[in-house]
Amino acid sequence: MTRRDALREGVRILAEDGAGATDSPSLDASLLLAAALATTKEGLLASLPEPVPEAAYAAYRELVERRRRGVPIAYILGRKAFWGYDFIVDPRVLIPRPDTELLVELGLSLGDGLGRPVSLHEACTGSGCVALSLALERPSWRVSASDLSLDALAVAQANAASLLSPTRPGGPVELFQADLLEPLEANPGKAGIGYDLVLANPPYVESPQAVDLSTQWGEPLLALDGGADGLAPYRRLIPQAFVSLAPGGWLLVEADPSQAEALAILFTEAGFSAIKSEHDLAGLARVTLGRKPWAT
Ligand code: GLN
């Protein structure tokens, strides 16, 4: 069988009525066939008349079947691109979303604007995609990240090992287990100076929806479930971040666009100033941020 025929077959299976697992059957089939052939999508498309060896074909059919059953493509491939880097992902972590790149973009510009060596912490890091992208873009920044899930931390650690230079000037990215910012609240910045940036993409989906999403796509419920109104993590995180930040430092949190107003109130109540929401590529209020005033 040629690669072209295998691709057609995969597309047909994934596009079958009732499969419904994907709205991009051609893209998915080519990514899966490329993975089974240990090549890239581009390599595959440049070699469509060539044959598919039997073992690769069997592997491909297995991957297509998993996709047909609804397993996200990122979990099947074990990889997801984020901020131009290739992250290891599996069902222990939320699959990084393009929207979340806004946290990285804003973190870079706010950190650069401080005009001093930056020390940052990311809570609820999951795969580590936000903290590690920042660490990769700014090798001199001191970066740490935490998660409640030891499983997630193992994935973040694997990503740190595969992506970061062991000699980055800012030192290794310190990863540790924490319930939101609890230990930092008691010991801000560990060095006693407080963080310049605190970032988080906490679980923010309302519980019933979070259960549905987690059941449907196999993503960890812990990474999605934000309690009855989706805001429970922020009610603790925002005051904790205020204590953990240095004066002049910034807190940036991702949320559902419908939560932006409630977040602005929580930021205000915690003592933050310069509070605003920034929009993602779809024009939706995705990240809320605020600054810890110099004198409080
Ligand atoms: N953006 C994710 C979703 O809507 C939720 C991520 C989160 O809860 N942090 O599926």
Side-chain angles (χ1 to χ4, degrees), residues 97 99-100 102-103 106 199-206 224 226 229-234 237-238 252-264 266-267 276-280 284-289:
R97 312 283 204 262
D99 294 338
T100 304
L102 183 59
L103 268 183
L106 293 167
L199 306 100
N201 172 17
Y204 57 70
V205 180
E206 295 171 16
L224 293 164
D229 63 356
L231 293 167
Y234 302 107
L237 174 80
I238 294 169
L252 301 85
V253 298
E254 176 178 322
D256 187 85
S258 65
Q259 297 166 326
E261 273 178 44
L263 284 186
L266 291 173
F267 270 69
K276 61 176 170 172
S277 290
E278 296 283 353
H279 293 73
D280 62 18
L284 301 169
R286 179 62 62 186
V287 170
T288 298
L289 52 93

mmCIF file of all heavy atoms in Angstrom, residues 97 99-100 102-103 106 199-206 224 226 229-234 237-238 252-264 266-267 276-280 284-289:
data_model
loop_
_atom_site.group_PDB
_atom_site.id
_atom_site.type_symbol
_atom_site.label_atom_id
_atom_site.label_comp_id
_atom_site.label_asym_id
_atom_site.label_seq_id
_atom_site.Cartn_x
_atom_site.Cartn_y
_atom_site.Cartn_z
ATOM 1 N N ARG A 97 -2.751 24.934 25.498
ATOM 2 C CA ARG A 97 -3.630 25.590 24.529
ATOM 3 C C ARG A 97 -2.916 26.803 23.927
ATOM 4 O O ARG A 97 -2.217 27.518 24.662
ATOM 5 C CB ARG A 97 -4.900 26.109 25.214
ATOM 6 C CG ARG A 97 -5.613 25.149 26.125
ATOM 7 C CD ARG A 97 -6.420 24.137 25.334
ATOM 8 N NE ARG A 97 -7.508 23.591 26.116
ATOM 9 C CZ ARG A 97 -7.468 22.412 26.762
ATOM 10 N NH1 ARG A 97 -6.389 21.687 26.731
ATOM 11 N NH2 ARG A 97 -8.518 21.984 27.422
ATOM 12 N N ASP A 99 -4.151 29.630 23.382
ATOM 13 C CA ASP A 99 -4.560 30.827 24.146
ATOM 14 C C ASP A 99 -3.593 31.135 25.279
ATOM 15 O O ASP A 99 -3.395 32.296 25.650
ATOM 16 C CB ASP A 99 -5.936 30.596 24.800
ATOM 17 C CG ASP A 99 -7.042 30.456 23.772
ATOM 18 O OD1 ASP A 99 -6.847 30.938 22.647
ATOM 19 O OD2 ASP A 99 -8.076 29.861 24.112
ATOM 20 N N THR A 100 -3.030 30.082 25.844
ATOM 21 C CA THR A 100 -2.173 30.243 27.021
ATOM 22 C C THR A 100 -0.830 30.899 26.663
ATOM 23 O O THR A 100 -0.120 31.392 27.537
ATOM 24 C CB THR A 100 -2.007 28.871 27.699
ATOM 25 O OG1 THR A 100 -3.311 28.369 28.002
ATOM 26 C CG2 THR A 100 -1.211 28.941 28.978
ATOM 27 N N LEU A 102 -0.547 33.639 25.518
ATOM 28 C CA LEU A 102 -0.676 35.038 25.942
ATOM 29 C C LEU A 102 -0.007 35.274 27.300
ATOM 30 O O LEU A 102 0.568 36.343 27.544
ATOM 31 C CB LEU A 102 -2.166 35.420 25.999
ATOM 32 C CG LEU A 102 -2.514 36.859 26.360
ATOM 33 C CD1 LEU A 102 -1.894 37.854 25.388
ATOM 34 C CD2 LEU A 102 -4.033 37.042 26.403
ATOM 35 N N LEU A 103 -0.050 34.279 28.181
ATOM 36 C CA LEU A 103 0.618 34.410 29.488
ATOM 37 C C LEU A 103 2.126 34.601 29.293
ATOM 38 O O LEU A 103 2.760 35.389 29.996
ATOM 39 C CB LEU A 103 0.409 33.140 30.320
ATOM 40 C CG LEU A 103 -0.769 33.031 31.286
ATOM 41 C CD1 LEU A 103 -0.683 31.703 32.034
ATOM 42 C CD2 LEU A 103 -0.794 34.186 32.283
ATOM 43 N N LEU A 106 2.846 38.166 27.732
ATOM 44 C CA LEU A 106 2.705 39.238 28.721
ATOM 45 C C LEU A 106 3.783 39.138 29.795
ATOM 46 O O LEU A 106 4.316 40.155 30.247
ATOM 47 C CB LEU A 106 1.317 39.187 29.367
ATOM 48 C CG LEU A 106 0.150 39.502 28.426
ATOM 49 C CD1 LEU A 106 -1.175 39.122 29.081
ATOM 50 C CD2 LEU A 106 0.148 40.980 28.043
ATOM 51 N N LEU A 199 2.684 33.811 37.863
ATOM 52 C CA LEU A 199 1.750 33.470 36.785
ATOM 53 C C LEU A 199 1.012 32.201 37.134
ATOM 54 O O LEU A 199 1.546 31.347 37.854
ATOM 55 C CB LEU A 199 2.503 33.220 35.467
ATOM 56 C CG LEU A 199 3.446 34.315 34.990
ATOM 57 C CD1 LEU A 199 4.879 33.962 35.349
ATOM 58 C CD2 LEU A 199 3.325 34.512 33.502
ATOM 59 N N ALA A 200 -0.201 32.065 36.625
ATOM 60 C CA ALA A 200 -0.921 30.806 36.810
ATOM 61 C C ALA A 200 -2.025 30.651 35.778
ATOM 62 O O ALA A 200 -2.687 31.618 35.396
ATOM 63 C CB ALA A 200 -1.541 30.733 38.204
ATOM 64 N N ASN A 201 -2.171 29.412 35.332
ATOM 65 C CA ASN A 201 -3.345 28.997 34.555
ATOM 66 C C ASN A 201 -4.007 27.913 35.395
ATOM 67 O O ASN A 201 -3.833 26.730 35.146
ATOM 68 C CB ASN A 201 -2.898 28.466 33.192
ATOM 69 C CG ASN A 201 -4.045 27.852 32.418
ATOM 70 O OD1 ASN A 201 -5.210 28.081 32.722
ATOM 71 N ND2 ASN A 201 -3.710 27.054 31.405
ATOM 72 N N PRO A 202 -4.729 28.319 36.448
ATOM 73 C CA PRO A 202 -5.291 27.326 37.370
ATOM 74 C C PRO A 202 -6.509 26.649 36.759
ATOM 75 O O PRO A 202 -6.993 27.084 35.705
ATOM 76 C CB PRO A 202 -5.711 28.177 38.566
ATOM 77 C CG PRO A 202 -6.042 29.502 37.990
ATOM 78 C CD PRO A 202 -5.146 29.682 36.802
ATOM 79 N N PRO A 203 -7.023 25.604 37.390
ATOM 80 C CA PRO A 203 -8.275 25.031 36.905
ATOM 81 C C PRO A 203 -9.392 26.062 37.072
ATOM 82 O O PRO A 203 -9.541 26.606 38.156
ATOM 83 C CB PRO A 203 -8.512 23.825 37.826
ATOM 84 C CG PRO A 203 -7.612 24.015 38.992
ATOM 85 C CD PRO A 203 -6.501 24.916 38.575
ATOM 86 N N TYR A 204 -10.137 26.343 36.001
ATOM 87 C CA TYR A 204 -11.164 27.383 36.113
ATOM 88 C C TYR A 204 -12.501 27.014 35.487
ATOM 89 O O TYR A 204 -13.375 27.867 35.297
ATOM 90 C CB TYR A 204 -10.659 28.712 35.555
ATOM 91 C CG TYR A 204 -10.182 28.729 34.119
ATOM 92 C CD1 TYR A 204 -11.071 28.594 33.053
ATOM 93 C CD2 TYR A 204 -8.841 28.926 33.813
ATOM 94 C CE1 TYR A 204 -10.632 28.638 31.740
ATOM 95 C CE2 TYR A 204 -8.384 28.967 32.515
ATOM 96 C CZ TYR A 204 -9.276 28.831 31.475
ATOM 97 O OH TYR A 204 -8.836 28.872 30.174
ATOM 98 N N VAL A 205 -12.679 25.749 35.146
ATOM 99 C CA VAL A 205 -13.946 25.322 34.551
ATOM 100 C C VAL A 205 -14.911 24.947 35.676
ATOM 101 O O VAL A 205 -14.511 24.335 36.671
ATOM 102 C CB VAL A 205 -13.711 24.123 33.606
ATOM 103 C CG1 VAL A 205 -15.021 23.673 32.977
ATOM 104 C CG2 VAL A 205 -12.681 24.479 32.532
ATOM 105 N N GLU A 206 -16.181 25.338 35.533
ATOM 106 C CA GLU A 206 -17.192 24.995 36.544
ATOM 107 C C GLU A 206 -17.297 23.477 36.662
ATOM 108 O O GLU A 206 -17.287 22.772 35.646
ATOM 109 C CB GLU A 206 -18.545 25.603 36.159
ATOM 110 C CG GLU A 206 -18.502 27.122 36.185
ATOM 111 C CD GLU A 206 -19.756 27.761 35.588
ATOM 112 O OE1 GLU A 206 -20.767 27.067 35.433
ATOM 113 O OE2 GLU A 206 -19.677 28.964 35.270
ATOM 114 N N LEU A 224 -8.738 20.989 35.506
ATOM 115 C CA LEU A 224 -9.870 21.703 34.902
ATOM 116 C C LEU A 224 -10.872 22.228 35.926
ATOM 117 O O LEU A 224 -11.482 23.271 35.724
ATOM 118 C CB LEU A 224 -10.624 20.758 33.952
ATOM 119 C CG LEU A 224 -9.878 20.326 32.695
ATOM 120 C CD1 LEU A 224 -10.567 19.114 32.063
ATOM 121 C CD2 LEU A 224 -9.814 21.469 31.682
ATOM 122 N N GLY A 226 -12.578 24.019 38.603
ATOM 123 C CA GLY A 226 -12.405 25.228 39.411
ATOM 124 C C GLY A 226 -13.502 25.431 40.442
ATOM 125 O O GLY A 226 -13.721 26.549 40.901
ATOM 126 N N ASP A 229 -18.311 27.670 40.738
ATOM 127 C CA ASP A 229 -18.375 28.774 39.769
ATOM 128 C C ASP A 229 -17.053 28.939 39.006
ATOM 129 O O ASP A 229 -16.854 29.931 38.300
ATOM 130 C CB ASP A 229 -18.754 30.085 40.469
ATOM 131 C CG ASP A 229 -17.710 30.519 41.489
ATOM 132 O OD1 ASP A 229 -16.732 29.774 41.708
ATOM 133 O OD2 ASP A 229 -17.869 31.610 42.064
ATOM 134 N N GLY A 230 -16.147 27.989 39.168
ATOM 135 C CA GLY A 230 -14.866 28.039 38.453
ATOM 136 C C GLY A 230 -13.854 28.989 39.064
ATOM 137 O O GLY A 230 -12.720 29.079 38.614
ATOM 138 N N LEU A 231 -14.259 29.710 40.107
ATOM 139 C CA LEU A 231 -13.377 30.758 40.650
ATOM 140 C C LEU A 231 -12.670 30.352 41.942
ATOM 141 O O LEU A 231 -11.867 31.117 42.475
ATOM 142 C CB LEU A 231 -14.188 32.032 40.907
ATOM 143 C CG LEU A 231 -14.724 32.745 39.658
ATOM 144 C CD1 LEU A 231 -15.769 33.792 40.049
ATOM 145 C CD2 LEU A 231 -13.583 33.419 38.898
ATOM 146 N N ALA A 232 -12.985 29.148 42.450
ATOM 147 C CA ALA A 232 -12.455 28.761 43.766
ATOM 148 C C ALA A 232 -10.928 28.899 43.851
ATOM 149 O O ALA A 232 -10.423 29.483 44.823
ATOM 150 C CB ALA A 232 -12.908 27.342 44.119
ATOM 151 N N PRO A 233 -10.162 28.426 42.866
ATOM 152 C CA PRO A 233 -8.706 28.553 43.004
ATOM 153 C C PRO A 233 -8.238 30.014 43.093
ATOM 154 O O PRO A 233 -7.325 30.328 43.849
ATOM 155 C CB PRO A 233 -8.161 27.883 41.736
ATOM 156 C CG PRO A 233 -9.242 26.935 41.323
ATOM 157 C CD PRO A 233 -10.533 27.626 41.678
ATOM 158 N N TYR A 234 -8.906 30.901 42.336
ATOM 159 C CA TYR A 234 -8.465 32.309 42.345
ATOM 160 C C TYR A 234 -8.702 32.981 43.695
ATOM 161 O O TYR A 234 -7.962 33.887 44.074
ATOM 162 C CB TYR A 234 -9.215 33.124 41.286
ATOM 163 C CG TYR A 234 -9.051 32.608 39.882
ATOM 164 C CD1 TYR A 234 -10.093 31.955 39.246
ATOM 165 C CD2 TYR A 234 -7.858 32.790 39.183
ATOM 166 C CE1 TYR A 234 -9.967 31.491 37.956
ATOM 167 C CE2 TYR A 234 -7.718 32.324 37.895
ATOM 168 C CZ TYR A 234 -8.778 31.676 37.286
ATOM 169 O OH TYR A 234 -8.637 31.208 36.016
ATOM 170 N N LEU A 237 -5.638 31.918 45.442
ATOM 171 C CA LEU A 237 -4.394 32.237 44.733
ATOM 172 C C LEU A 237 -4.080 33.734 44.705
ATOM 173 O O LEU A 237 -2.929 34.152 44.895
ATOM 174 C CB LEU A 237 -4.511 31.716 43.292
ATOM 175 C CG LEU A 237 -3.363 32.068 42.351
ATOM 176 C CD1 LEU A 237 -2.187 31.123 42.582
ATOM 177 C CD2 LEU A 237 -3.794 31.987 40.889
ATOM 178 N N ILE A 238 -5.090 34.560 44.477
ATOM 179 C CA ILE A 238 -4.820 35.989 44.271
ATOM 180 C C ILE A 238 -4.267 36.642 45.550
ATOM 181 O O ILE A 238 -3.224 37.311 45.491
ATOM 182 C CB ILE A 238 -6.065 36.692 43.673
ATOM 183 C CG1 ILE A 238 -6.309 36.140 42.247
ATOM 184 C CG2 ILE A 238 -5.904 38.206 43.663
ATOM 185 C CD1 ILE A 238 -7.638 36.530 41.619
ATOM 186 N N LEU A 252 -0.224 37.515 36.925
ATOM 187 C CA LEU A 252 -0.944 37.284 35.665
ATOM 188 C C LEU A 252 -1.655 35.949 35.752
ATOM 189 O O LEU A 252 -1.005 34.926 36.020
ATOM 190 C CB LEU A 252 0.020 37.192 34.478
ATOM 191 C CG LEU A 252 0.931 38.353 34.149
ATOM 192 C CD1 LEU A 252 2.205 38.279 34.980
ATOM 193 C CD2 LEU A 252 1.303 38.311 32.688
ATOM 194 N N VAL A 253 -2.962 35.947 35.540
ATOM 195 C CA VAL A 253 -3.685 34.680 35.560
ATOM 196 C C VAL A 253 -4.521 34.514 34.299
ATOM 197 O O VAL A 253 -5.141 35.463 33.814
ATOM 198 C CB VAL A 253 -4.603 34.521 36.797
ATOM 199 C CG1 VAL A 253 -3.803 34.541 38.080
ATOM 200 C CG2 VAL A 253 -5.707 35.561 36.831
ATOM 201 N N GLU A 254 -4.523 33.288 33.797
ATOM 202 C CA GLU A 254 -5.434 32.967 32.701
ATOM 203 C C GLU A 254 -6.799 32.617 33.296
ATOM 204 O O GLU A 254 -6.879 32.097 34.419
ATOM 205 C CB GLU A 254 -4.912 31.770 31.904
ATOM 206 C CG GLU A 254 -5.892 31.359 30.809
ATOM 207 C CD GLU A 254 -5.437 30.206 29.939
ATOM 208 O OE1 GLU A 254 -4.237 30.124 29.622
ATOM 209 O OE2 GLU A 254 -6.303 29.391 29.577
ATOM 210 N N ALA A 255 -7.862 32.887 32.556
ATOM 211 C CA ALA A 255 -9.206 32.520 32.999
ATOM 212 C C ALA A 255 -10.109 32.417 31.793
ATOM 213 O O ALA A 255 -9.720 32.737 30.668
ATOM 214 C CB ALA A 255 -9.751 33.563 33.968
ATOM 215 N N ASP A 256 -11.335 31.986 32.057
ATOM 216 C CA ASP A 256 -12.343 32.022 31.015
ATOM 217 C C ASP A 256 -12.756 33.486 30.832
ATOM 218 O O ASP A 256 -12.858 34.220 31.817
ATOM 219 C CB ASP A 256 -13.546 31.176 31.441
ATOM 220 C CG ASP A 256 -14.546 31.058 30.314
ATOM 221 O OD1 ASP A 256 -14.348 30.164 29.471
ATOM 222 O OD2 ASP A 256 -15.497 31.863 30.273
ATOM 223 N N PRO A 257 -13.000 33.917 29.603
ATOM 224 C CA PRO A 257 -13.358 35.325 29.380
ATOM 225 C C PRO A 257 -14.551 35.778 30.219
ATOM 226 O O PRO A 257 -14.613 36.943 30.628
ATOM 227 C CB PRO A 257 -13.691 35.361 27.884
ATOM 228 C CG PRO A 257 -12.889 34.242 27.295
ATOM 229 C CD PRO A 257 -12.816 33.175 28.336
ATOM 230 N N SER A 258 -15.456 34.874 30.536
ATOM 231 C CA SER A 258 -16.633 35.255 31.337
ATOM 232 C C SER A 258 -16.251 35.579 32.790
ATOM 233 O O SER A 258 -17.073 36.100 33.547
ATOM 234 C CB SER A 258 -17.653 34.115 31.332
ATOM 235 O OG SER A 258 -17.102 32.989 31.998
ATOM 236 N N GLN A 259 -15.041 35.261 33.189
ATOM 237 C CA GLN A 259 -14.625 35.457 34.581
ATOM 238 C C GLN A 259 -13.855 36.757 34.804
ATOM 239 O O GLN A 259 -13.486 37.078 35.935
ATOM 240 C CB GLN A 259 -13.762 34.269 35.034
ATOM 241 C CG GLN A 259 -14.513 32.937 35.022
ATOM 242 C CD GLN A 259 -13.596 31.737 35.146
ATOM 243 O OE1 GLN A 259 -12.467 31.753 34.648
ATOM 244 N NE2 GLN A 259 -14.074 30.675 35.786
ATOM 245 N N ALA A 260 -13.606 37.497 33.726
ATOM 246 C CA ALA A 260 -12.708 38.661 33.833
ATOM 247 C C ALA A 260 -13.195 39.687 34.867
ATOM 248 O O ALA A 260 -12.396 40.210 35.649
ATOM 249 C CB ALA A 260 -12.525 39.306 32.459
ATOM 250 N N GLU A 261 -14.487 39.954 34.869
ATOM 251 C CA GLU A 261 -14.987 40.975 35.802
ATOM 252 C C GLU A 261 -14.850 40.529 37.256
ATOM 253 O O GLU A 261 -14.426 41.293 38.115
ATOM 254 C CB GLU A 261 -16.458 41.277 35.519
ATOM 255 C CG GLU A 261 -16.629 42.337 34.464
ATOM 256 C CD GLU A 261 -18.089 42.594 34.146
ATOM 257 O OE1 GLU A 261 -18.899 42.682 35.099
ATOM 258 O OE2 GLU A 261 -18.409 42.687 32.948
ATOM 259 N N ALA A 262 -15.208 39.274 37.514
ATOM 260 C CA ALA A 262 -15.093 38.744 38.881
ATOM 261 C C ALA A 262 -13.622 38.756 39.316
ATOM 262 O O ALA A 262 -13.313 39.046 40.474
ATOM 263 C CB ALA A 262 -15.658 37.325 38.939
ATOM 264 N N LEU A 263 -12.733 38.478 38.385
ATOM 265 C CA LEU A 263 -11.312 38.471 38.739
ATOM 266 C C LEU A 263 -10.834 39.873 39.090
ATOM 267 O O LEU A 263 -10.050 40.051 40.027
ATOM 268 C CB LEU A 263 -10.477 37.922 37.577
ATOM 269 C CG LEU A 263 -10.517 36.416 37.386
ATOM 270 C CD1 LEU A 263 -9.533 36.003 36.316
ATOM 271 C CD2 LEU A 263 -10.199 35.691 38.681
ATOM 272 N N ALA A 264 -11.291 40.850 38.333
ATOM 273 C CA ALA A 264 -10.868 42.235 38.608
ATOM 274 C C ALA A 264 -11.257 42.606 40.041
ATOM 275 O O ALA A 264 -10.499 43.280 40.751
ATOM 276 C CB ALA A 264 -11.495 43.190 37.600
ATOM 277 N N LEU A 266 -11.619 40.477 42.588
ATOM 278 C CA LEU A 266 -10.723 39.743 43.501
ATOM 279 C C LEU A 266 -9.333 40.391 43.559
ATOM 280 O O LEU A 266 -8.712 40.473 44.617
ATOM 281 C CB LEU A 266 -10.604 38.272 43.073
ATOM 282 C CG LEU A 266 -11.863 37.409 43.248
ATOM 283 C CD1 LEU A 266 -11.668 36.016 42.638
ATOM 284 C CD2 LEU A 266 -12.219 37.269 44.731
ATOM 285 N N PHE A 267 -8.844 40.854 42.420
ATOM 286 C CA PHE A 267 -7.546 41.547 42.389
ATOM 287 C C PHE A 267 -7.622 42.830 43.238
ATOM 288 O O PHE A 267 -6.701 43.126 44.004
ATOM 289 C CB PHE A 267 -7.171 41.924 40.948
ATOM 290 C CG PHE A 267 -6.374 40.876 40.193
ATOM 291 C CD1 PHE A 267 -6.950 39.673 39.814
ATOM 292 C CD2 PHE A 267 -5.046 41.101 39.833
ATOM 293 C CE1 PHE A 267 -6.227 38.714 39.101
ATOM 294 C CE2 PHE A 267 -4.312 40.154 39.127
ATOM 295 C CZ PHE A 267 -4.895 38.956 38.757
ATOM 296 N N LYS A 276 -5.959 44.944 34.754
ATOM 297 C CA LYS A 276 -6.645 44.924 33.450
ATOM 298 C C LYS A 276 -6.684 43.522 32.872
ATOM 299 O O LYS A 276 -5.978 42.628 33.345
ATOM 300 C CB LYS A 276 -5.983 45.894 32.472
ATOM 301 C CG LYS A 276 -4.559 45.590 32.158
ATOM 302 C CD LYS A 276 -4.075 46.580 31.110
ATOM 303 C CE LYS A 276 -2.567 46.462 30.947
ATOM 304 N NZ LYS A 276 -2.021 47.216 29.864
ATOM 305 N N SER A 277 -7.512 43.358 31.850
ATOM 306 C CA SER A 277 -7.579 42.069 31.165
ATOM 307 C C SER A 277 -7.017 42.237 29.770
ATOM 308 O O SER A 277 -7.247 43.251 29.115
ATOM 309 C CB SER A 277 -9.030 41.597 31.063
ATOM 310 O OG SER A 277 -9.479 41.255 32.353
ATOM 311 N N GLU A 278 -6.264 41.244 29.339
ATOM 312 C CA GLU A 278 -5.682 41.267 27.992
ATOM 313 C C GLU A 278 -6.367 40.204 27.147
ATOM 314 O O GLU A 278 -6.776 39.163 27.652
ATOM 315 C CB GLU A 278 -4.174 40.983 28.068
ATOM 316 C CG GLU A 278 -3.395 42.051 28.813
ATOM 317 C CD GLU A 278 -3.170 43.319 27.992
ATOM 318 O OE1 GLU A 278 -3.512 43.333 26.785
ATOM 319 O OE2 GLU A 278 -2.663 44.298 28.570
ATOM 320 N N HIS A 279 -6.449 40.487 25.846
ATOM 321 C CA HIS A 279 -7.222 39.629 24.947
ATOM 322 C C HIS A 279 -6.349 38.627 24.193
ATOM 323 O O HIS A 279 -5.221 38.927 23.825
ATOM 324 C CB HIS A 279 -7.996 40.499 23.955
ATOM 325 C CG HIS A 279 -9.055 41.307 24.638
ATOM 326 N ND1 HIS A 279 -8.750 42.395 25.416
ATOM 327 C CD2 HIS A 279 -10.393 41.157 24.704
ATOM 328 C CE1 HIS A 279 -9.877 42.890 25.922
ATOM 329 N NE2 HIS A 279 -10.889 42.143 25.510
ATOM 330 N N ASP A 280 -6.926 37.447 23.981
ATOM 331 C CA ASP A 280 -6.212 36.425 23.197
ATOM 332 C C ASP A 280 -6.437 36.656 21.698
ATOM 333 O O ASP A 280 -7.060 37.643 21.291
ATOM 334 C CB ASP A 280 -6.647 35.017 23.640
ATOM 335 C CG ASP A 280 -8.121 34.740 23.412
ATOM 336 O OD1 ASP A 280 -8.758 35.467 22.622
ATOM 337 O OD2 ASP A 280 -8.637 33.785 24.024
ATOM 338 N N LEU A 284 -10.779 37.597 22.954
ATOM 339 C CA LEU A 284 -11.489 37.366 24.218
ATOM 340 C C LEU A 284 -10.570 37.682 25.400
ATOM 341 O O LEU A 284 -9.370 37.384 25.353
ATOM 342 C CB LEU A 284 -11.919 35.895 24.306
ATOM 343 C CG LEU A 284 -12.836 35.433 23.159
ATOM 344 C CD1 LEU A 284 -12.983 33.918 23.174
ATOM 345 C CD2 LEU A 284 -14.200 36.115 23.273
ATOM 346 N N ALA A 285 -11.169 38.256 26.461
ATOM 347 C CA ALA A 285 -10.404 38.608 27.656
ATOM 348 C C ALA A 285 -9.892 37.314 28.288
ATOM 349 O O ALA A 285 -10.661 36.577 28.895
ATOM 350 C CB ALA A 285 -11.291 39.368 28.633
ATOM 351 N N ARG A 286 -8.646 37.020 28.162
ATOM 352 C CA ARG A 286 -8.125 35.697 28.536
ATOM 353 C C ARG A 286 -7.207 35.758 29.751
ATOM 354 O O ARG A 286 -7.122 34.836 30.538
ATOM 355 C CB ARG A 286 -7.384 35.119 27.317
ATOM 356 C CG ARG A 286 -6.761 33.769 27.504
ATOM 357 C CD ARG A 286 -7.744 32.668 27.814
ATOM 358 N NE ARG A 286 -8.694 32.462 26.742
ATOM 359 C CZ ARG A 286 -9.734 31.606 26.842
ATOM 360 N NH1 ARG A 286 -9.932 30.910 27.939
ATOM 361 N NH2 ARG A 286 -10.571 31.480 25.834
ATOM 362 N N VAL A 287 -6.471 36.871 29.880
ATOM 363 C CA VAL A 287 -5.524 36.985 30.997
ATOM 364 C C VAL A 287 -5.844 38.255 31.779
ATOM 365 O O VAL A 287 -6.016 39.325 31.189
ATOM 366 C CB VAL A 287 -4.058 37.022 30.486
ATOM 367 C CG1 VAL A 287 -3.098 37.388 31.620
ATOM 368 C CG2 VAL A 287 -3.668 35.685 29.867
ATOM 369 N N THR A 288 -5.956 38.116 33.091
ATOM 370 C CA THR A 288 -6.121 39.295 33.951
ATOM 371 C C THR A 288 -4.818 39.502 34.709
ATOM 372 O O THR A 288 -4.177 38.530 35.135
ATOM 373 C CB THR A 288 -7.306 39.106 34.925
ATOM 374 O OG1 THR A 288 -8.493 38.959 34.142
ATOM 375 C CG2 THR A 288 -7.472 40.293 35.852
ATOM 376 N N LEU A 289 -4.429 40.761 34.835
ATOM 377 C CA LEU A 289 -3.171 41.037 35.524
ATOM 378 C C LEU A 289 -3.321 42.239 36.441
ATOM 379 O O LEU A 289 -4.241 43.054 36.284
ATOM 380 C CB LEU A 289 -2.039 41.236 34.516
ATOM 381 C CG LEU A 289 -2.257 42.255 33.397
ATOM 382 C CD1 LEU A 289 -1.726 43.609 33.806
ATOM 383 C CD2 LEU A 289 -1.524 41.776 32.147
#
